[in-house]
Amino acid sequence: MGTIATMGLDIARSVFQVHGIDAAGEVMVRRQLSRARVLSFFEKLPPCLIGIEACNTSHYWARELIARGHDVRLMPTHVKPYVKRGKNDSADAEAICEAVTRPTMRFVAVKTPEQQSVMMLHRVRLMLNRQRTQLSNGAMPNAAPG
């Protein structure tokens, strides 16, 4: 029995799914973790490669796992082709685990909290500009038929 070399972590609201394989590709762990137990689970593991699909909260989890010595890679949502069976959290974690080892997979840089807050400011500014344009377009007086 080998040690875990690669992990796939599927993030959800309350229950996370973990899929881990050794260097030979044999499944070492496949289980659900509550949100409260994720960090304690990964603290007990030796450093390994962890793949996570990129989303807003994945940057937080990536920073926490990197602080615990793991190599974390965030992937855009291009994992669907690696799903072998029905779409569920367990299958997604397995697909993430497989996709993170592919040499052609593109990865997303882990953002700091400051970078995430700047991105949020840009999104809010864009939304306000769109709303202002909508208001100005809707407030045009009706032209008299001519």
Side-chain angles (χ1 to χ4, degrees), residues 74-144:
L74 301 179
M75 297 170 282
T77 55
H78 297 5
V79 179
K80 297 211 187 301
Y82 297 99
V83 176
K84 295 176 185 156
R85 55 189 192 283
K87 172 81 172 89
N88 58 41
D89 291 343
S90 177
D92 285 350
E94 184 178 351
I96 292 167
C97 186
E98 182 177 339
V100 74
T101 61
R102 298 295 180 188
T104 58
M105 180 58 68
R106 294 180 301 129
F107 298 105
V108 175
V110 178
K111 291 180 178 58
T112 64
E114 293 79 21
Q115 289 172 321
Q116 284 187 288
S117 64
V118 168
M119 296 287 290
M120 183 192 68
L121 287 174
H122 286 301
R123 284 192 299 271
V124 169
R125 184 174 182 269
L126 180 64
M127 183 179 65
L128 288 173
N129 281 334
R130 286 181 180 163
Q131 288 175 345
R132 184 177 62 189
T133 303
Q134 288 174 348
L135 283 172
S136 66
N137 288 339
M140 298 291 287
N142 291 334

Side-chain angles (χ1 to χ4, degrees), residues 1-85:
M1 186 163 143
T3 59
I4 296 173
T6 307
M7 299 281 288
L9 178 62
D10 185 52
I11 297 175
R13 286 186 187 191
S14 57
V15 178
F16 293 5
Q17 189 72 35
V18 176
H19 183 88
I21 59 173
D22 63 6
E26 295 294 320
V27 176
M28 301 298 294
V29 64
R30 182 183 292 144
R31 63 184 284 195
Q32 289 183 346
L33 296 172
S34 67
R35 181 178 287 271
R37 295 184 183 198
V38 171
L39 294 178
S40 62
F41 173 80
F42 282 101
E43 284 174 346
K44 297 173 188 170
L45 293 179
C48 62
L49 173 63
I50 301 172
I52 306 174
E53 276 188 298
C55 65
N56 293 332
T57 58
S58 65
H59 294 279
Y60 164 78
W61 290 107
R63 288 191 301 266
E64 291 294 324
L65 295 173
I66 288 170
R68 286 157 176 78
H70 296 286
D71 178 20
V72 181
R73 296 187 186 160
L74 301 179
M75 297 170 282
T77 55
H78 297 5
V79 179
K80 297 211 187 301
Y82 297 99
V83 176
K84 295 176 185 156
R85 55 189 192 283

